[in-house]
Amino acid sequence: MKRSIPFELFRYAAILAALAVTLIPILWMASMAFKPIGEWSATGVDLTWWPKEPTLSNFRFVFGQSDSSLIVALDRTAMKPILSSLLSASFGTLIAMSAGTAAAYGLSRFGSGQNLPLALTQLRLFPPMAVMIPVMIMWAFLNLTDTWWGLALIYGIVTLPFAFWLMKTFFDDMPREIEEAGLVEGCSRWRVFTKITLPMMRAPLASAALFVFILNWSDYLIALLLTTREWVTVPVYMASLSSSMTGQLYGAKAALGLIAAVPPVIMGIAIQRHLVRGLTFGALKQ
Amino acid sequence: MNLATGPDNAMAQPPAARTPGRDESARLGFRLTLPAQVLVLFIAVFPLLMQLYISLTDWSPLDGLSWWMAWESWNNFYNYYDLMRDNRFWSAMWRTFVVIIVCVPVEFLLGLGLATLFVDDFRGKRVFYSILLMPMMVVPAVAGYMFFMLFQSGGPVNDVLSIVFGTRIAIAWLSDPTLALIAVMIADIWQWTPLMFLILLAGLVGVPQDQIKAATLLGASPWQRFTTIVIPKMKAIIIIALAIRVIENFKIFDTLYIMTGGGPGVATETISVYIYKLTTQDLIWGYVAAIALAILLVLSVFTVYAMKRMAAAREVEA
């Protein structure tokens, strides 16, 4: 359809405004991450929008290199929280994807587990806050509190619905002729699943796994309740960073925030095509 | 369906229904769904029973008693009675409600507006699209910290306002009860408008173009086409998008807690923040369990409704 020139102008103006609003908070944090301490807060007159003397000292600081201008040194560095986030999010993704893919295939092909769609949707919709009391009690009982594997287990369960729904819509969309051919050749159904179906579904599996990983990586509340010291994740660690000497460690926190924010944004853009499907539980495809 | 076509027919039927390996299928199906079933049982059924039990007592982790001994402080539904009269709970509910009532429509309208601009092709569409989706991929806790920095009294928001109004403005956004709530809602709108945009755009693109062309030929104005063709076609999608945001907004915690911690005072204390504080500071877990169950009950009703809508939309798709 041909559009008039005023419309095109309006469109670009509106989109540019939206882009500015979208990017300013992100850029502000990025700029903060590279600012030396003197430019952090603008209690004085001018606010520095762009670092005047860009520095990597904030990044060095969160990884433990003491910095004389910051006075304080951290009692623990960002290394362990990053490791904790990586381990819990990865293994949580592994749990969710294994159980979710298997269940999705079972339901899609053999009609097993008819209760799962409703049960898993409810699981996804309920606020985690509302089931955390029993989870905290159980985790303490099982010695899972403040461990990355304890977090991985709860992440695996919390994101199971996403893994299940995504994989179910992918399996439903997959043509069955190839599986049929495998059966005719005398493969068992298990062999068909592992040797034919799964290899064919590599790309969807990867997208779903990235999607689930982003969700796990983004968690704050669960880690806040289930970790206390040893295995706190990046967001929890970031929020706890402050010091009596310098107040909020703006630059250091911004540096951490940037480290935490970059991977999911890149992954998210990589799986853009499947975002709608994942977010609406397959109700909508793109 | 024609049943007499032999091999063709075998392909059309679900294989489970007619091949001799039916037992094998059933067994494999059972085994494949078992891990998910176990996880659901592990996180849903048992904890809910535990929660129900604890909610009928005054149990606290400080008691030094195991949770199964909670009956020693049995209190005959008194927690639920307390809940009815708990002003802080109701004001937290009200605040959560305000956040939903403000944020969801704003996100919807902004998202829809943006989506309509993206239906047809134009230069730079793909790049703009990717950038506009970025906020929803930012870790919510980090987004909270971004807005915490933006709204500092010496921060960029005040700086921009100072330039616009020509005088020095140093509003302490996050220390003012009303402004803090507004700031929190702005952060939510920033982060989740892209979700509305994404879902609504997927819906808009799916509206059949021939109907729109036909309406155009018949002389319908763009607004008429929008209200009589586009909106009705997208009804299911709109409901899904709204339902997702209502449910997510009801849980609002990460960004808000990082920005204000529920403060100043209790000015931005939403239901999740209130429960969090009761859990970690007051440690009255019996009461928390009661609140949690009450909320689960209310949400269940909403969830079943949302589920039905999603199922209906899935049917349409198929």
Side-chain angles (χ1 to χ4, degrees), chain A residues 22 124-125 162 211 214-215 272 274-281 284 286, chain B residues 103-104 106-115 129-138 187-204 234 237-249 310:
Chain A
T22 298
R124 176 245 185 284
L125 296 176
F162 292 94
F211 187 85
I214 295 175
L215 294 175
Q272 232 173 50
H274 301 298
L275 282 178
V276 169
R277 193 189 281 245
L279 290 163
T280 61
F281 272 12
L284 257 181
Q286 207 169 16
Chain B
C103 291
V104 176
V106 172
E107 285 161 18
F108 174 74
L109 291 175
L110 287 176
L112 185 64
L114 269 178
Y129 178 75
S130 295
I131 295 175
L132 287 177
L133 292 186
M134 277 163 75
M136 62 186 269
M137 297 160 197
V138 171
D188 190 80
I189 291 166
W190 176 81
Q191 183 153 42
W192 297 114
T193 297
L195 179 93
M196 286 286 193
F197 166 64
L198 176 75
I199 296 178
L200 294 173
L201 180 57
L204 278 178
M234 285 182 51
I237 291 156
I238 291 172
I239 289 172
I240 290 170
L242 292 176
I244 289 176
R245 280 313 300 150
V246 167
I247 291 166
E248 292 295 321
N249 246 329
M310 289 194 198

Side-chain angles (χ1 to χ4, degrees), chain A residues 204-241:
Chain A
L205 271 169
S207 309
L210 282 180
F211 187 85
V212 169
F213 183 89
I214 295 175
L215 294 175
N216 288 336
W217 178 268
S218 301
D219 165 71
Y220 173 60
L221 177 59
I222 295 174
L224 191 60
L225 287 168
L226 287 181
T227 59
T228 48
R229 191 180 161 80
E230 276 308 307
W231 291 102
V232 294
T233 58
V234 176
V236 179
Y237 175 77
M238 185 192 82
S240 71
L241 261 195

